[in-house]
Amino acid sequence: LTAAAGPLRDDGPSTSPCARSDVVARLRAAGCVFAEDEAEMLVAAARTPAELSSLVGRRVAGLPLEHVLGWADFCGLRVTLEPGVFVPRRRSEFLVRRAADLLRRSSAEAGEDQGASWTVVDLCCGSGAVGAALMAAEPRIELHAVDTDPAAVRCARRNVGTGARVYVGDLYAPLPARLRGRVDVVVANAPYVPRREIELLPPEARVHEPAAALDGGEDGLDVIRRIAAGASAWLAPGGHLLAETSERQGPSAARAFAHHALHARVARSKGSGATVVVGARPTPPYTGPTRSPSG
Ligand SMILES: C[S@@+](CC[C@H](N)C(=O)[O-])C[C@H]1O[C@@H](n2cnc3c(N)ncnc32)[C@H](O)[C@@H]1O
């Protein structure tokens, strides 16, 4: 994981309190709610006063803080971001925790040795934040990640490092055929905003993130339904699909999972307000030899 997303550092130069308070004032005047915190990060990122002025100018013009800095904090990792790539949201850390829990539980139940590894697919990977965080939590993962956006794939390749494969393409299409029926976990934070609600999003998302990263069609579940439809062909028996949705969409998404032969349930995190729909591919009934009553 040499080139992968690294832990957070605070390595900016010291700046005079005066410059810092100017930055806070400019951010506040531009309507930044967390002006103090943002000023701290911008000051830490700038190597010269001219660079600080340029960073503040871009933030005041409305660019998301993470695009100005070139990184986002996700699960304690510094995830590299290019402009125009979806900024990973803190609520998606719940998706990572649920997936990591499932992997640990299935390995404990199977009594697997320390050398065993899991095959994980991160669909609609964006910057690769979810996959990178899963690899950091569980190093014994063979990760494959997919996104249609070449800029996102460039970021993902940097964030997941050389131990993982990242493909450009539509959902399962670019995955190697050898993974069919062998994937332990598919994670997906796919676009799920209902189309008519996109105009209600804050400008940071509406203006600076691509529509393809947000637009989930009429009810927001178009991409998630396609993911559910393809899952059984790629999951190993007993494997899981986990998809983030809004709380309101959870039950409809679970029905879509069930329609595609997955045992589905909805998991919610009260703390972060996140919802994850979890579907399991059933294990086939045992068809081997049975003992006769006489032994
Ligand atoms: C909501 S963003 C999430 C990105 C990332 N999973 C995260 O949590 O930060 C959705 C991503 O899905 C990608 N995407 C949209 N439709 C896709 C498709 N049919 N196949 C693969 N990726 C797709 C977009 O380019 C975008 O990067």
Side-chain angles (χ1 to χ4, degrees), residues 208-249:
H208 296 285
E209 291 180 325
L214 306 169
D215 187 347
E218 193 179 338
D219 69 350
L221 294 175
D222 282 4
V223 183
I224 290 175
R225 271 190 284 268
R226 289 183 56 219
I227 290 171
S232 290
W234 293 90
L235 288 173
H240 290 84
L241 164 64
L242 295 91
E244 181 177 305
T245 65
S246 70
E247 183 174 359
R248 182 167 36 105
Q249 291 166 329

Side-chain angles (χ1 to χ4, degrees), residues 86-88 92 122-127 129-130 146-149 152 169-171 189-191 212-213 223 226:
F86 183 85
V87 176
S92 303
D122 180 3
L123 288 182
C124 300
C125 68
S127 64
V130 171
V146 182
D147 203 285
T148 43
D149 175 6
D170 178 35
L171 302 186
N189 180 23
V223 183
R226 289 183 56 219

Side-chain angles (χ1 to χ4, degrees), residues 268-274:
R268 291 199 181 90
S269 157
K270 282 200 186 116
S272 65

Side-chain angles (χ1 to χ4, degrees), residues 114-290:
Q114 291 303 306
S117 70
W118 298 292
T119 303
V120 173
V121 169
D122 180 3
L123 288 182
C124 300
C125 68
S127 64
V130 171
L134 261 177
M135 286 180 86
E138 285 298 326
R140 293 177 296 147
I141 283 177
E142 178 190 325
L143 179 73
H144 299 260
V146 182
D147 203 285
T148 43
D149 175 6
V153 166
R154 266 197 310 276
C155 291
R157 287 192 175 131
R158 289 180 65 182
N159 289 319
V160 300
T162 50
R165 301 288 309 275
V166 188
Y167 314 87
V168 185
D170 178 35
L171 302 186
Y172 303 95
L175 293 174
R178 70 176 173 84
L179 295 186
R180 278 185 175 273
R182 283 199 43 231
V183 177
D184 297 295
V185 164
V186 174
V187 282
N189 180 23
Y192 62 81
V193 183
R195 190 164 294 148
R196 67 184 175 287
E197 292 177 19
I198 288 180
E199 63 182 23
L200 307 176
L201 294 175
E204 271 106 335
R206 191 167 29 83
V207 179
H208 296 285
E209 291 180 325
L214 306 169
D215 187 347
E218 193 179 338
D219 69 350
L221 294 175
D222 282 4
V223 183
I224 290 175
R225 271 190 284 268
R226 289 183 56 219
I227 290 171
S232 290
W234 293 90
L235 288 173
H240 290 84
L241 164 64
L242 295 91
E244 181 177 305
T245 65
S246 70
E247 183 174 359
R248 182 167 36 105
Q249 291 166 329
S252 308
R255 278 194 295 279
F257 278 32
H259 181 72
H260 293 291
L262 300 169
H263 291 319
R265 66 195 161 79
V266 179
R268 291 199 181 90
S269 157
K270 282 200 186 116
S272 65
T275 299
V276 168
V277 182
V278 183
R281 183 182 163 196
T283 42
Y286 181 65
T287 54
T290 47

